[in-house]
Amino acid sequence: MYDAIVIGSGIGSLTTAGLLAGVAKKRVLVLEKHSTPGGLTHAFRRQGASWDVGLHYVGDMAPGTRPRHIIDYLTDGKLSWMQMPDSYDRFCLPKLGVTLDVPSNAALYRQRLEALFPKEKRALKRYFKDVARAYSWMTLNYVRQVVPQQVAPLIGLAQKMHTSLACETTAHYMNRRFRDPALRTLLTMHWGDYGVEPERSAFVAHAMIVGHYMNGAWFPRGGSGQISRMIEEKIRANGGEIRVSQSVEEILVENGRAVGVRVTDTSGAHSVTYEERAPIIVSGVGASETYNRLLPAQGRTGKLTKPIRESIVRMGYGGTAVIVYLTLDHYPKGIDGSNIWINEGDGSQTPAALTAALMEGNPQTAFVSFPGLKADDQHATAEIVSFVEAGAFHTWEETTKGDRGSDYDLLKSTMAHGLIALVDRTLPGFAHSVRYEEVATPLTIEHYTSHSQGCFYGLPLTPQRFTAGLTTPETPIPGLFLTGQDAGFPGIVGAAMAGWTSACRILGPKGYLQINQSLSAASTSGRETSDPEPTQDHSTHSAPRLAAQVLQAQWLSPHIRDIVLKLPRSLQWCPGQYSLIRVAPFEWRPYSLASASGQSARFIIDVRTKGKGAAFARGLQPGDEVELQLPLGNFDIHSDVRGNDEAPTRRRIFIATGSGIAPFCAAFDEGIRADDLLLFGCTTADEDLTRWLKTPIPHVIRCMTRESSDAAFKGRVTDYLRMTGIDQSADYYVCGSPAMVADVRRVIRSGGGRVYCESF
């Protein structure tokens, strides 16, 4: 039995779990719905390039700050931070003729504003003082959560001095203080950092962001995806674990107390539901999800939580966005790593108008970030974020990821091209540098994070949010605590600080002192000195982590490696499942299993991507030891699919390019049917892996794009499918590059066929 169960693996959850494990030596189980831990700190990859989905920049991370102490403790100081350029944000308002580089110095920032708006000098002086007052109001809220209960009321009294300022709307404050509408627009154009437009947001939300970056911005070297893996080391070292692909369905409440969770394990080919129990349950998935979905709405629990649920409804929804992820050939001139905020309007646009303009392909606002440059990565990448109203994509809310229809695909393309053109007008040459694009909508965000309507900032930062008393880890249910942004404030540091306050409350009256002593000791010594040895992975509800040995590592082509690992014991998996392999100290990559079940696992890996996974695979030699976790995934290649008891087995047609053939090799190892067909796409004969694979393969049709051959069809696999038509009595299995998979899927579905694709 675990000492605590934490739902979700965002930075708030990981902070709470890491502090409970490291400070109090508690065994903590972290349950993550996604196949990758980290919540909004996780990264995803395409062809070696990576994007940080939620971390774009972080303030208050200079050495010696409290947030830096906490992160250093959780990661044992292994996370390296890079300071961004001195002017970390650039505000561009072309219609108003204003551009401002925001410096990492409050005095200089004020001077630049006064130079642009000399008539507002007195108001600006008062503005910076008011920002400091509101910032301290929120800081006191964190303090009130961790001090002894007899002291908390005194902190509350101190807060009251500035409550009216903190809970005034941002727009009301700006209209009250400043005459120039251009200045009001300039000061608030980065409201996307807290997700609620000035007309609805509390001034404290605005002040927290301004104050947070007053001394500059930072970014983790190597990107944010490694953070969860670093903190995982501390959790595992004390007997805990992080389980991925675990969907928590319900928080179990008995005799008025939270005692456990009911979980559906989706990590394998078939879902399994089970229960885990612990004396402490911590939810990091948001207040709305916790109170409205995970807890019963009836009985004693429903009665206790009803006022909170009603408050959540009254608040409405916060911010969500459309995000375009890009790989670039190069960084255009003028890009130095700073973020760029663009607003081509006059500042009077409503969220509804901005949303409509974006969906029509004529966006007016965007936030542009360059994660590859900030992370010191060799791949040139960019992200464009444009905020939209919650519910803007309700037309497709009943559809599933990857199957939302051609109208949805067209809308995504329209928005992406509009946003790229918007950025190109500010950064000439940007559009021509784009090599690859991928679009995420609020539906994508909801799919991966469970935030309703994709509102990833949680409860909206309106005055009602702060006056309702919900910014706390406490809940009406004994044994249940909240962590993350809804227990404090959004953002990486806001959620981490909430994780700290949650851990303090869980550990009781001496929790703050206990944690503070551990942080101080770790800061002084530079490392933890009392962590026990890592525990063995004996979980029965997650894929085991194992140490394997390389039996074979050979080249199938100049850029494809065929690697076979000897496992310490025989394991069972289904064709189509994959393994996570540790490719660097805190980096894991998914690779499809290319062999049938047993004591050896085969992988076919493309090393052209130039990422850490490619470097790892390129250097493997027989005898090397590899750490991996398997099996995972539910891309199940059916061995006996029947429409009904009388129908014959459906034909299987496999479509692959490059190393995408790997999961199909596992199916072929298990047995080939007489009517199985493999369509394999490649550019030249040298890339035709089917000639070199030492595995049985069915009848194969090769599709080559750059060479002509009597043994191959000249063209893409999509060309062949259009020419021959779609067999509606067959099951199509597709694996390869994301672009190829998307194109093939559209062709098959338009022809009425049934298609299966990998989910990661």
Side-chain angles (χ1 to χ4, degrees), residues 118-298:
K119 294 182 180 180
E120 301 277 16
K121 186 174 181 179
R122 184 175 179 181
L124 283 166
K125 180 179 179 180
R126 182 59 183 266
Y127 166 75
F128 278 86
K129 289 182 178 179
D130 287 341
V131 164
R133 292 187 182 102
Y135 190 95
S136 67
W137 182 90
M138 188 64 197
T139 301
L140 287 173
N141 187 73
Y142 283 114
V143 173
R144 188 159 53 91
Q145 306 301 324
V146 300
V147 297
Q149 289 187 351
Q150 59 269 30
V151 180
L154 298 177
I155 303 296
L157 287 174
Q159 273 189 290
K160 285 185 177 180
M161 294 175 59
H162 301 304
T163 296
S164 60
L165 170 68
C167 294
E168 180 180 8
T169 67
T170 305
H172 187 271
Y173 175 89
M174 294 295 169
N175 290 330
R176 180 167 60 86
R177 283 282 177 228
F178 302 109
R179 293 189 179 92
D180 195 318
L183 176 56
R184 295 197 294 263
T185 299
L186 183 67
L187 290 175
T188 59
M189 71 178 298
H190 64 316
W191 63 261
D193 270 341
Y194 47 92
V196 182
E197 67 278 8
E199 286 71 23
R200 287 201 303 142
S201 65
F203 180 69
V204 65
H206 174 84
M208 287 297 290
I209 292 300
V210 174
H212 181 62
Y213 294 110
M214 203 68 85
N215 295 311
W218 302 71
F219 197 83
R221 185 183 298 275
S224 63
Q226 60 193 319
I227 296 175
S228 62
R229 293 300 188 180
M230 289 179 173
I231 300 176
E232 181 184 27
E233 298 294 310
K234 189 176 291 290
I235 295 169
R236 287 178 60 83
N238 291 282
E241 65 172 316
I242 298 177
R243 293 182 195 164
V244 297
S245 300
Q246 308 293 305
S247 180
V248 175
E249 309 295 342
E250 179 184 5
I251 295 173
L252 304 176
V253 180
E254 295 178 0
N255 299 319
R257 183 179 182 85
V259 297
V261 292
R262 182 168 56 84
V263 191
T264 297
D265 177 1
T266 62
S267 64
H270 306 288
S271 298
V272 178
T273 299
Y274 64 96
E275 290 184 0
E276 284 283 0
R277 293 182 173 245
I280 297 295
I281 309 298
V282 185
S283 177
V285 298
S288 181
E289 279 292 301
T290 302
Y291 289 112
N292 289 317
R293 188 178 70 84
L294 298 181
L295 287 170
Q298 294 78 35

Side-chain angles (χ1 to χ4, degrees), residues 602 604 635 637 651-669 671-682 687-704 711-713 715-718 720-721 724 727 730-736 740 744 748:
R602 183 187 188 193
I604 299 172
F635 178 42
I637 299 172
R651 185 187 183 199
R652 302 186 303 180
I653 299 177
F654 303 91
I655 304 174
T657 55
S659 58
I661 198 172
F664 304 152
C665 290
F668 304 154
D669 257 359
I672 298 174
R673 302 179 192 161
D675 60 350
D676 281 349
L677 175 66
L678 170 64
L679 296 182
F680 187 78
C682 53
E687 294 185 351
D688 181 9
L689 300 184
T690 63
R691 298 190 303 165
W692 314 113
L693 286 169
K694 294 180 180 179
T695 189
I697 60 172
H699 176 65
V700 59
I701 295 175
R702 299 169 179 87
C703 300
M704 289 189 192
F713 170 80
R716 301 177 182 274
V717 290
T718 48
Y720 182 85
L721 290 170
T724 59
D727 183 351
D731 285 329
Y732 289 83
Y733 298 92
V734 189
C735 188
M740 184 279 285
V744 169
I748 295 172

Side-chain angles (χ1 to χ4, degrees), residues 447-670:
H447 172 82
Y448 286 112
T449 70
S450 293
H451 286 106
S452 180
Q453 301 198 51
C455 297
F456 50 85
Y457 281 125
L459 297 178
L461 295 175
T462 61
Q464 293 78 14
R465 155 102 180 249
F466 296 98
T467 57
L470 292 182
T471 53
T472 173
E474 296 285 350
T475 76
I477 312 301
L480 174 63
F481 296 83
L482 297 185
T483 188
Q485 57 188 6
D486 280 354
F489 196 85
I492 301 301
V493 168
M497 292 302 292
W500 167 67
T501 61
S502 183
C504 289
R505 296 306 292 263
I506 290 168
L507 294 179
K510 296 183 179 180
Y512 169 74
L513 180 61
Q514 188 178 359
I515 290 175
N516 200 44
Q517 287 175 340
S518 293
L519 294 180
S520 298
S523 176
T524 302
S525 65
R527 62 183 296 273
E528 277 275 80
T529 58
S530 57
D531 282 349
E533 290 297 313
T535 56
Q536 293 294 317
D537 193 336
H538 297 301
S539 170
T540 58
H541 293 294
S542 62
R545 288 172 64 162
L546 307 165
Q549 189 177 58
V550 179
L551 286 178
Q552 170 188 302
Q554 65 181 25
W555 293 96
L556 290 179
S557 77
H559 51 261
I560 300 287
R561 291 212 83 183
D562 188 351
I563 296 167
V564 179
L565 305 180
K566 181 182 179 181
L567 306 176
R569 65 178 188 269
S570 182
L571 291 177
Q572 295 291 315
W573 58 81
C574 296
Q577 290 194 279
Y578 67 92
S579 170
L580 285 172
I581 298 179
R582 185 195 287 263
V583 300
F586 303 104
E587 299 278 356
W588 295 70
R589 298 289 186 270
Y591 295 108
S592 294
L593 287 153
S595 57
S597 299
Q599 198 169 348
S600 64
R602 183 187 188 193
F603 302 93
I604 299 172
I605 302 176
D606 191 330
V607 301
R608 286 177 295 182
T609 59
K610 300 179 182 179
K612 292 181 179 178
F616 167 83
R618 188 182 297 111
L620 281 181
Q621 298 297 328
D624 289 349
E625 189 170 282
V626 174
E627 186 176 1
L628 72 167
Q629 183 178 14
L630 77 163
L632 296 160
N634 50 22
F635 178 42
D636 186 12
I637 299 172
H638 309 303
S639 58
D640 187 26
V641 179
R642 297 180 184 274
N644 55 58
D645 291 341
E646 304 300 324
T649 302
R650 292 173 65 89
R651 185 187 183 199
R652 302 186 303 180
I653 299 177
F654 303 91
I655 304 174
T657 55
S659 58
I661 198 172
F664 304 152
C665 290
F668 304 154
D669 257 359
E670 286 199 345

Side-chain angles (χ1 to χ4, degrees), residues 15 19 58-84 212 217-221 492-494 496-497 500 519-520 522-523:
T15 299
L19 290 174
V58 178
D60 286 336
M61 205 49 66
T65 62
R66 172 50 61 99
R68 180 65 175 266
H69 275 157
I70 293 174
I71 298 298
D72 282 351
Y73 174 82
L74 294 170
T75 63
D76 286 335
K78 295 170 184 173
L79 183 63
S80 176
W81 291 91
M82 300 175 62
Q83 189 158 15
M84 289 176 59
H212 181 62
W218 302 71
F219 197 83
R221 185 183 298 275
I492 301 301
V493 168
M497 292 302 292
W500 167 67
L519 294 180
S520 298
S523 176

